[in-house]
Amino acid sequence: MKITAKYNNFSYSCPKRKPYVPSFGISFKAPKLLSDIFIRQSNQPAQKVFKLKKLKAGKFGTECKDSTPLKSFDDSVDFEKLKELYKNGFSTNTDGWADCFLKSKANNPLSTSSVYDCSVMYLFNKDTNTHFLYHSSFRSVQKDFDFLIKTFMPEGFTKAEILPGTKRWLERHSLTLPEMVKAIQANNKQAEINIRHYNSKMPEVVGYMGELYEIPNHRIEMGFYDKGQASFRMCDLKAKSLISELDFNSSSIEKLETTRQYYKQGIPDIEIMKIINRELDKNLQKLLEKDISKK
């Protein structure tokens, strides 16, 4: 199967994993104790340390003792700026397929929707004004998150926000969140970490200037297999599929450069193109070294 990314009239496809269809006959046991440590920034030299605990099913989504509800994006941003932000922002696919990601300057909103048994990891770097939003499968473990952080946020991050999906999947979220947090802390022990939860039924989740918000879901009927919504320009990319596609298309220098131009025409954001160019440059260097060794 393939994913298709569209921007204006441009469309391209690349391999993707088959979307996960949950089996209702499988049950998962939540850990008895979630002992992973979160570190928040403070004005004091010593960091405040607390534990992720009392994970529970809230009114709309999975919550924990220290989580706070998502604020309304529209109500939190100056009205005069909203039109520009809706024009400049990006959205993932609306089907809730995991492994989808977005990256841009932090003043360009990033959104995803249909977060059911999945979770969202959002990273922000205040020094570079960049941010990264990842819609994660519940199957993801620490090494997966570590790969994503190193690959798509090589500049590092100063703040992280995490969000589990709907309350129905409490047990699965209890597996994902500790793994996500361990990876975040392994890459930056001093980063501020905040935990959020839904404040309405199946909202569109938005990352903007270092914080997660929500846009209410405007569909009248919302069933398990309903499509979500994309309030911004859609840029449907899968993290691991993208890297695999770049590697596959780097069998020769000519094919590699054709691939570079192909993505350059269709990717609407410079921050994502930086990642693509970096990966292609690494592959190009390998090809050049291979040619030299043959001589």
Side-chain angles (χ1 to χ4, degrees):
M1 299 180 68
K2 292 179 177 293
I3 60 168
T4 301
K6 295 182 179 180
Y7 173 64
N8 292 337
N9 295 321
F10 181 88
S11 175
Y12 64 88
S13 298
C14 59
K16 73 173 184 66
R17 297 183 303 182
K18 184 178 179 180
Y20 170 68
V21 178
S23 172
F24 295 97
I26 300 176
S27 61
F28 294 85
K29 292 184 178 180
K32 293 182 179 180
L33 177 64
L34 297 176
S35 58
D36 298 273
I37 298 174
F38 291 78
I39 300 178
R40 290 181 182 271
Q41 288 181 335
S42 67
N43 295 325
Q44 303 299 324
Q47 297 290 327
K48 180 180 178 181
V49 179
F50 67 96
K51 295 180 179 180
L52 172 64
K53 55 185 178 181
K54 295 185 179 179
L55 213 61
K56 64 178 183 178
K59 183 178 181 181
F60 301 109
T62 293
E63 302 179 9
C64 72
K65 181 180 179 180
D66 300 304
S67 64
T68 55
L70 293 171
K71 294 183 291 186
S72 167
F73 177 71
D74 289 356
D75 294 341
S76 301
V77 180
D78 186 83
F79 180 77
E80 295 182 357
K81 292 183 179 180
L82 278 177
K83 185 176 181 179
E84 180 181 357
L85 292 178
Y86 275 105
K87 178 181 178 181
N88 296 333
F90 301 98
S91 296
T92 66
N93 66 79
T94 63
D95 298 296
W97 292 341
D99 197 41
C100 57
F101 82 98
L102 291 166
K103 182 178 180 180
S104 186
K105 289 296 183 182
N107 48 301
N108 296 328
L110 306 177
S111 84
T112 193
S113 60
S114 298
V115 185
Y116 289 94
D117 61 341
C118 300
S119 296
V120 173
M121 178 176 73
Y122 175 70
L123 306 177
F124 168 68
N125 188 317
K126 66 179 180 181
D127 300 318
T128 59
N129 190 41
T130 52
H131 62 168
F132 169 75
L133 185 143
Y134 179 62
H135 184 144
S136 161
S137 164
F138 80 91
R139 292 190 177 96
S140 297
V141 294
Q142 181 179 353
K143 67 177 182 179
D144 298 319
F145 294 116
D146 188 66
F147 164 80
L148 292 160
I149 293 171
K150 287 180 168 58
T151 302
F152 297 103
M153 286 294 284
E155 69 271 31
F157 58 94
T158 55
K159 184 180 181 181
E161 301 221 336
I162 62 177
L163 170 83
T166 58
K167 63 180 181 180
R168 176 190 180 99
W169 303 105
L170 168 64
E171 292 82 4
R172 295 186 178 185
H173 300 142
S174 71
L175 300 175
T176 309
L177 295 187
E179 296 294 306
M180 184 184 292
V181 174
K182 284 189 288 186
I184 291 172
Q185 291 185 318
N187 283 273
N188 185 357
K189 293 182 179 180
Q190 301 303 313
E192 175 186 354
I193 300 177
N194 293 315
I195 314 167
R196 307 295 186 188
H197 61 255
Y198 282 169
N199 200 25
S200 62
K201 185 177 182 180
M202 289 305 302
E204 182 177 358
V205 182
V206 184
Y208 174 67
M209 295 303 295
E211 188 171 340
L212 286 178
Y213 300 88
E214 70 174 27
I215 296 175
N217 199 316
H218 298 297
R219 292 176 292 116
I220 297 176
E221 295 182 3
M222 291 180 281
F224 187 83
Y225 293 104
D226 286 352
K227 291 182 180 295
Q229 64 184 32
S231 296
F232 310 94
R233 293 175 290 174
M234 192 178 294
C235 183
D236 188 11
L237 294 168
K238 304 296 186 301
K240 294 177 183 177
S241 296
L242 174 63
I243 300 301
S244 297
E245 178 76 2
L246 297 178
D247 289 340
F248 179 79
N249 288 327
S250 298
S251 57
S252 69
I253 295 177
E254 292 76 14
K255 192 171 183 180
L256 184 151
E257 293 305 330
T258 298
T259 301
R260 192 193 302 274
Q261 293 304 315
Y262 186 63
Y263 278 99
K264 185 177 181 180
Q265 294 176 45
I267 296 295
D269 190 81
I270 188 173
E271 293 300 325
I272 298 176
M273 271 311 301
K274 285 180 181 179
I275 296 168
I276 291 175
N277 283 326
R278 186 194 68 224
E279 294 300 313
L280 289 175
D281 287 343
K282 285 164 55 178
N283 293 337
L284 176 62
Q285 184 62 33
K286 292 178 182 177
L287 290 173
L288 294 175
E289 291 175 354
K290 185 177 181 179
D291 288 342
I292 292 175
S293 66
K294 291 181 179 179
K295 296 180 180 179

